[in-house]
Each structure stands twice: as C-alpha cells, then as structure tokens.
C-alpha cells in the first residue's frame, strides 16, 4: 500500500518518511537524555525501530533512501559545521601538532591495515573490507570516505557505531590497565578509536579529556581522508 | 533568527569553497575542505564565532538524524550478518583495541611537552 503511495505522490511520501525518521530519532534522543545509557544510542535505536517498520509495510531500502534524500543532502553542511569544534581546539593542537599528527598517522595506518587484512581473510569481500577499515572516524566522514572508495557505507555506519560503543564502554578501563593514565593520552586514544560516542563519555571525566578527545576525533578524520585513498588501493593490490 | 541565517550563510560559503578546492585538488572530500576552511575563517575572525556558536552547536547536536538513512542500508545485509556476524564484531573490536593501545601508549610516552594553562580553554564539543 505504501509502495503505491511512493509511486503516486513522491513529494508527500518524502515528507512522510522524513518526518517519521526525524520523529523516531527525537524520541530515541529523548530516551537517551532521560536514562543516560551509552548503548541507548539514538541512531541505533532509530534504526532498530525503523527496520521492522519498513519490513512490515514492505518498503525496500532503495525506496526509503530515495524518499529521505533530503537528510542525506544535509550531511555535507553538517560536516562543515564540525569546523567549530576544530576552531575551538586550535590552541590545543598548536602545542603538539607534530607529535599528535605522527602518532595518529601511525595509529590510522595500523588500524586500516589490520581491519582490511582481517576482513579479507575472514569475510573475503572487498567492499566490506573497505567499509570496516574506515570505521575509526566520525560517522558522517566515514560514510563519505567509504562511498568515495566504493565500499558499503551502511556497513561503515554500523561498524563505527560498534567501535564507538565498545571503546566508550571498555576503553578507559583498558587504558588504565596498560598504564595509560594521563588525560591527554586517554583523550587522544578514545577520540580516535571511538569518536563522538567515546568523547561524550570521556567528557564526564574532565574537560581536558574531552578536549583531547575532540581534537583526536577531528584530526584523525582529516588524516584518514588523506591516507585511505592511497593506502587502501595499495593493500587491495595484494589480493589481485 | 538573524544569527541562524548568518550561520547558514557562513556554512554554505565554506562548503562552496570546499567544492572548489575539491575540484582543483581532489585530496579531500569537498565537505572536509569546507570544514577546514570554516575553522580557519573563524580563527581569522572573518566569520564571527560568537554569532555562529549557538546555531552551530544545535546543528552538531542534531546531525545524527542525517546519518539514519545511510545506516538503514543494513536492511540489505541480513544475510551477511547471519553468515559473518561474529567475524564482523571480532574485526571491529580487535582493531579498535589495537588502535586504543597504539595511540594511548605512544601519547603517554611521547607527548611530554609542558602542558599547563592551555587545557582550561577546553570545551569538548561533539
């Protein structure tokens, strides 16, 4: 029934699905606000509600993504808006930008290589391997990069979510366990591995934790964007 | 309202310049160029940070909703999850662990320049 609605009145269908998506997201965000659980991530909750809904009303993904195109178009300006936290952290970056860049480049190179090789070994699908190797950046940028390198961006979105939750829940304990205790080091590690979700948790520890986490999250996104377009094809060559 | 329009204008200009930069040298996606240009314009005070902060924070707070359509693509991958779900989680968690360890360890031991007053300006957004 809804499929014919999409064909007959595409504009109304667009409005309908966009509103449904926004309303569900707002509901999920309100739930997290209320209960403050990390795993009650608004994106995760929204997807868990909308997937059964789409299956129930028999709408496929192509139809859904077509009708919610407007949300996708807002992704680019949303990334530009991240320039504000970058500007706010310039002071932090100025002091150690050489060391931080070197450490992050090393970390990113290792994580892309390890994820790609593991994925090719265990799953043997290049588009999944690309998606998984780009999971250590903030979601909007991860999606953009994956599409650029012809990976599967829905897998990236999910992998980023899992990496975020995992690092936010276990990261701080693990870092203390291996003797990494300074706010700087914890912030950089969690920010680069678990991006926004990790930062949101870490900021409760201290403002310094949060600041370094924000720096790592944005800096590692820029560095990943610079490194991945030549590193990933290089590793891909090993398999052909 | 004036500041909302001002913020939208500032972001659009930077995105446009980002598209131009991407056209000239495709090293980064247009939106990332835009983000860097935006941060620089704020730094040089070509756009007023005071005017844009409130609307910009609102954008960042709600940007997650723009990511839902991309995430919904998972609906096409039930078979993959059924077949390789454990492998997927294993790859994601082990590589995240490695990244945490590498960056945490190196930062703990090699970021030792004096660090006093600068942390007080921290805001920790997004």
């Amino acid at each position: 029934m809804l499929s014919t609605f999409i064909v007959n009145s595409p504009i109304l269908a667009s409005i309908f699905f966009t509103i449904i998506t926004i309303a569900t997201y707002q509901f999920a965000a309100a739930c997290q606000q209320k209960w403050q659980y990390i795993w009650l991530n608004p994106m995760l909750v929204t997807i868990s509600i909308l997937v059964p809904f789409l299956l129930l009303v028999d709408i496929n993904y192509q139809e859904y993504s077509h009708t919610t195109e407007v949300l996708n178009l807002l992704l680019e300006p949303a990334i530009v808006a991240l320039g504000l936290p970058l500007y706010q952290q310039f002071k932090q970056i100025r002091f150690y930008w050489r060391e931080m860049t070197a450490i992050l480049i090393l970390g990113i190179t290792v994580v892309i290589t390890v994820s790609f090789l593991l994925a090719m070994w265990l799953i043997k699908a290049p588009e999944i391997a690309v998606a998984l190797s780009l999971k250590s950046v903030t979601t909007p940028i991860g999606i953009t990069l994956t599409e650029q390198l012809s990976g599967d961006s829905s897998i990236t979105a999910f992998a980023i979510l899992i990496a975020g939750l995992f690092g936010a829940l276990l990261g701080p304990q693990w870092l203390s366990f291996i003797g990494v205790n300074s706010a700087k080091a914890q912030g950089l590690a969690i920010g680069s591995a678990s991006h926004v979700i990790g930062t949101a948790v870490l900021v409760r520890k201290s403002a310094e934790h949060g600041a370094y986490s924000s720096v790592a999250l944005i800096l590692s996104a820029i560095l990943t964007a610079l490194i991945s377009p030549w590193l990933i094809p290089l590793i891909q060559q090993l398999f052909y | 309202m004036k500041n909302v329009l001002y913020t939208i204008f500032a972001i659009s200009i930077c995105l446009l310049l980002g598209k131009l930069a991407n056209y000239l040298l495709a090293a980064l996606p247009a939106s990332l160029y835009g983000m860097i240009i935006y941060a620089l314009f704020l730094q040089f005070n070509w756009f007023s940070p005071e005017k844009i902060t409130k609307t910009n924070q609102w954008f960042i707070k709600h940007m997650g909703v723009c990511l839902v359509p991309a995430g919904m693509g998972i609906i096409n991958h039930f078979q993959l999850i059924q077949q390789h779900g454990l492998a997927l989680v294993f790859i994601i968690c082990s590589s995240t662990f490695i990244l945490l360890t590498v960056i945490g360890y190196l930062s703990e031991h090699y970021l030792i320049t004096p660090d006093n007053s600068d942390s007080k300006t921290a805001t920790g957004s997004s």
Side-chain angles (χ1 to χ4, degrees), chain A residues 25 61 75-76 80-81 87-88 90 96 99 106-107 135 152 154 174 181-182 184 188 192 208 211 214 217-218 225, chain B residues 19 28 32 35 38 43 49 56 64 67 69-70 73 75 77 95 99 101 103 106 108 111 113 115 122 125-126:
Chain A
Y25 187 86
Y61 174 64
L75 205 56
E76 283 197 317
V80 177
Y87 153 76
Q88 288 169 331
F90 266 150
Y96 319 96
E99 294 88 339
L106 191 72
K135 59 141 198 3
D152 194 313
S154 64
W174 169 250
N181 290 311
S182 71
K184 254 188 318 235
L188 286 176
S192 53
E208 195 185 0
S214 303
L217 128 82
I218 291 173
Chain B
K19 298 248 180 210
L28 285 175
L32 269 179
M35 175 182 103
Y38 188 50
Q43 177 73 18
N56 201 112
L67 308 170
I75 207 167
H77 292 294
S95 55
L99 184 62
T101 312
I103 299 213
L106 290 176
E108 182 82 8
L111 279 190
T113 7
D115 161 43
S125 44
S126 102

Side-chain angles (χ1 to χ4, degrees), chain A residues 21-22 25-26 43 47 50-51 54 61-62 64 68 71 74-90 92 95-96 99 103-104 106-107 110-111 114-115 118-119 122-123 128 132 135-136 139-141 143 145 148 152 154-155 157-159 163 166 171 174-175 178-182 184-185 188-189 192-193 196 203 207-208 210-212 214 217-218 222 225-226, chain B residues 10-12 14-15 19 22 26-32 34-36 38-40 42-44 49-50 52-54 56-57 59-78 80 84 87-126:
Chain A
T21 308
I22 294 176
Y25 187 86
Q26 285 302 326
M43 189 177 154
I47 293 171
L50 286 183
V51 164
L54 291 194
Y61 174 64
Q62 278 66 30
Y64 172 80
T68 49
L71 291 176
L74 286 174
L75 205 56
E76 283 197 317
I79 295 176
V80 177
L82 288 174
L84 177 68
L86 178 63
Y87 153 76
Q88 288 169 331
Q89 308 301 344
F90 266 150
Q92 225 84 6
F95 284 107
Y96 319 96
E99 294 88 339
I103 291 172
L104 288 174
L106 191 72
V110 169
V111 79
V114 169
S115 322
L118 275 177
L122 293 170
I123 303 177
I128 308 288
L132 288 182
K135 59 141 198 3
S136 298
T139 321
I141 298 173
I143 290 174
L145 289 177
Q148 196 186 346
D152 194 313
S154 64
I155 300 284
F158 251 82
F166 180 74
W174 169 250
L175 288 171
I178 58 169
V180 175
N181 290 311
S182 71
K184 254 188 318 235
L188 286 176
S192 53
V196 184
V203 83
E208 195 185 0
Y212 278 101
S214 303
L217 128 82
I218 291 173
I222 297 173
L226 286 171
Chain B
I11 290 179
S12 311
C14 293
L15 184 56
K19 298 248 180 210
N22 174 266
L28 285 175
S31 48
L32 269 179
M35 175 182 103
I36 297 169
Y38 188 50
L40 289 174
L42 290 173
Q43 177 73 18
F44 299 142
E50 291 78 38
I52 59 106
T53 303
K54 214 172 142 202
N56 201 112
Q57 298 286 27
F59 278 154
I60 292 179
K61 198 173 155 217
H62 295 284
M63 78 191 286
V65 73
C66 306
L67 308 170
V68 172
M72 288 294 286
I74 204 76
I75 207 167
N76 289 338
H77 292 294
F78 287 147
L80 176 86
H84 297 293
L88 282 172
V89 174
F90 169 73
I91 295 166
I92 296 166
C93 292
S94 57
S95 55
T96 302
F97 232 9
I98 293 171
L99 184 62
L100 277 173
T101 312
V102 170
I103 299 213
Y105 184 83
L106 290 176
S107 324
E108 182 82 8
H109 296 276
Y110 295 100
L111 279 190
I112 36 176
T113 7
D115 161 43
N116 306 316
S117 55
D118 57 322
S119 62
K120 296 207 174 74
T121 52
T123 40
S125 44
S126 102

Side-chain angles (χ1 to χ4, degrees), chain A residues 170-217:
Chain A
L170 299 175
Q173 286 92 319
W174 169 250
L175 288 171
S176 306
F177 176 71
I178 58 169
V180 175
N181 290 311
S182 71
K184 254 188 318 235
Q186 287 206 349
L188 286 176
I190 302 273
S192 53
S194 297
H195 44 90
V196 184
I197 303 177
T199 306
V201 174
L202 216 54
V203 83
R204 293 184 206 154
K205 276 195 160 186
S206 79
E208 195 185 0
H209 277 92
Y212 278 101
S213 195
S214 303
V215 168
L217 128 82

Side-chain angles (χ1 to χ4, degrees), chain A:
Chain A
M1 181 196 82
L2 270 176
S3 317
T4 49
F5 173 52
I6 291 176
V7 177
N8 291 336
S9 41
I11 297 177
L12 270 183
S14 282
I15 295 172
F16 174 74
F17 279 104
T18 307
I19 288 179
I20 289 264
T21 308
I22 294 176
T24 316
Y25 187 86
Q26 285 302 326
F27 165 75
C31 287
Q32 196 189 35
Q33 196 85 46
K34 185 160 181 225
W35 289 297
Q36 304 277 327
Y37 294 125
I38 304 167
W39 51 266
L40 215 56
N41 176 276
M43 189 177 154
L44 190 66
V45 174
T46 309
I47 293 171
S48 335
I49 296 174
L50 286 183
V51 164
F53 173 72
L54 291 194
L55 292 175
L56 195 75
V57 295
D58 201 22
I59 300 287
N60 65 36
Y61 174 64
Q62 278 66 30
E63 287 169 322
Y64 172 80
S65 75
H66 193 69
T67 53
T68 49
E69 188 61 33
V70 65
L71 291 176
N72 235 339
L73 289 176
L74 286 174
L75 205 56
E76 283 197 317
I79 295 176
V80 177
L82 288 174
L84 177 68
L86 178 63
Y87 153 76
Q88 288 169 331
Q89 308 301 344
F90 266 150
K91 267 199 187 121
Q92 225 84 6
I93 298 174
R94 216 179 42 202
F95 284 107
Y96 319 96
W97 70 272
R98 282 189 202 87
E99 294 88 339
M100 266 195 227
T101 313
I103 291 172
L104 288 174
I105 287 178
L106 191 72
I108 291 164
T109 310
V110 169
V111 79
I112 290 179
T113 314
V114 169
S115 322
F116 197 93
L117 293 179
L118 275 177
M120 284 307 278
W121 178 48
L122 293 170
I123 303 177
K124 300 182 184 67
E127 72 279 7
I128 308 288
V130 171
L132 288 182
S133 52
L134 291 170
K135 59 141 198 3
S136 298
V137 278
T138 179
T139 321
I141 298 173
I143 290 174
T144 311
L145 289 177
T146 311
E147 280 166 5
Q148 196 186 346
L149 293 166
S150 42
D152 194 313
S153 59
S154 64
I155 300 284
T156 316
F158 251 82
I160 292 174
L161 210 61
I162 299 174
L165 293 173
F166 180 74
L169 291 169
L170 299 175
Q173 286 92 319
W174 169 250
L175 288 171
S176 306
F177 176 71
I178 58 169
V180 175
N181 290 311
S182 71
K184 254 188 318 235
Q186 287 206 349
L188 286 176
I190 302 273
S192 53
S194 297
H195 44 90
V196 184
I197 303 177
T199 306
V201 174
L202 216 54
V203 83
R204 293 184 206 154
K205 276 195 160 186
S206 79
E208 195 185 0
H209 277 92
Y212 278 101
S213 195
S214 303
V215 168
L217 128 82
I218 291 173
L219 213 57
S220 72
I222 297 173
L223 292 172
T224 308
L226 286 171
I227 295 172
S228 58
W230 62 264
L231 180 61
I232 290 181
L234 206 70
I235 312 172
Q236 266 171 336
Q237 275 180 5
L238 294 175
F239 294 89
Y240 298 111

